Amino acid sequence: MMDTDESLTLWTALVNTRYLHDGHEVDDLKTPEGLLDWIKQYFPDIVSSHPVDNPIFIGQMLQPLRDLREICLLIATALTHHTPLRDALKRWNQWLEDLNLKAHVIWNEGQFHEVIHGVDPSQHILWRISHSLAETLQRVPSERIRQCEDEQCIRYFVDTSRGGHRRWCNMATCGNRQKVARYRAKNKGSKTRSGAVPKR
């Protein structure tokens, strides 16, 4: 099931399929099995109505999804390092040209809904991830797109906190690890000072 944390958009979830574990980089999209596990987690609606456990679907998804991840990472890196977006946007638009989509907007129960139809599930998934990136760039100040400050993490997140001072992708893991490290460093410093021999 998709995480309800608003900071975990589809595109950041895609970027974060690359992460560090025990100092080594892990890639959830390295294998077809990893790709299917990720699709099942974030697109349960598509999985429930379309057969995805087949070589045709995997072949349609694997490389375009990896390419989109690289584009999302390029844009996130440019924003966090304040470098030009021109090349990343060019790659994004070139990638979008390969999508074959049909869409229309309807008004239902007091709300607008964008309906995508007439395409295979792989195209639908790719469009939804790309659309989530476009929505973030439209709605969120660029400085709210951040990389986790934990030196043992390479994940990205969108800071949706009220004060805009969030520093870690996940408070329970990276945030807690940093707090423990600071606490130990502070206590070590205190013990060193208390145990020091006074100079004569």
Side-chain angles (χ1 to χ4, degrees):
M1 182 176 293
M2 189 178 300
D3 197 316
T4 55
D5 182 354
E6 291 182 4
S7 69
L8 186 58
T9 61
L10 280 173
W11 74 270
T12 52
L14 177 61
V15 168
N16 294 339
T17 54
R18 290 172 60 254
Y19 54 93
L20 297 180
H21 180 70
D22 293 335
H24 300 284
E25 184 174 307
V26 178
D27 184 354
D28 285 343
L29 302 184
K30 188 175 182 178
T31 64
E33 293 78 16
L35 178 143
L36 286 174
D37 286 343
W38 190 80
I39 294 296
K40 289 175 181 178
Q41 179 180 0
Y42 290 99
F43 298 91
D45 58 322
I46 291 180
V47 170
S48 65
S49 58
H50 294 86
V52 297
D53 294 315
N54 64 77
I56 294 177
F57 175 80
I58 293 172
Q60 291 172 333
M61 282 297 305
L62 198 54
Q63 193 56 51
L65 195 60
R66 289 172 177 168
D67 292 342
L68 181 56
R69 180 177 64 181
E70 183 64 24
I71 291 166
C72 292
L73 181 59
L74 285 173
I75 290 174
T77 302
L79 292 174
T80 54
H81 290 82
H82 309 290
T83 56
L85 281 165
R86 181 177 60 255
D87 291 342
L89 289 175
K90 182 179 179 181
R91 283 192 60 178
W92 190 8
N93 281 318
Q94 289 174 339
W95 180 90
L96 284 168
E97 288 178 0
D98 291 331
L99 287 185
N100 179 24
L101 297 170
K102 295 180 181 180
H104 66 276
V105 178
I106 62 173
W107 175 262
N108 185 35
E109 297 182 355
Q111 290 184 323
F112 282 108
H113 299 272
E114 188 173 26
V115 180
I116 307 297
H117 61 97
V119 296
D120 61 66
S122 64
Q123 296 281 294
H124 196 162
I125 289 170
L126 293 168
W127 177 84
R128 278 166 60 174
I129 300 169
S130 176
H131 186 64
S132 77
L133 175 57
E135 276 194 320
T136 298
L137 297 177
Q138 290 171 354
R139 293 170 39 228
V140 178
S142 59
E143 61 270 17
R144 292 283 189 120
I145 298 172
R146 297 176 183 154
Q147 187 171 23
C148 183
E149 292 187 16
D150 182 6
E151 62 183 14
Q152 300 180 49
C153 184
I154 58 173
R155 291 184 173 97
Y156 282 83
F157 64 94
V158 179
D159 183 3
T160 57
S161 66
R162 181 174 296 181
H165 302 299
R166 180 173 169 179
R167 300 170 57 191
W168 303 290
C169 66
N170 189 301
M171 186 62 211
T173 54
C174 294
N176 187 61
R177 182 163 53 235
Q178 288 293 300
K179 288 191 173 184
V180 170
R182 287 201 304 269
Y183 176 80
R184 289 176 176 172
K186 182 179 179 181
N187 280 359
K188 183 178 180 181
S190 299
K191 290 179 179 178
T192 301
R193 287 192 296 272
S194 64
V197 177
K199 292 184 179 179
R200 297 181 181 273

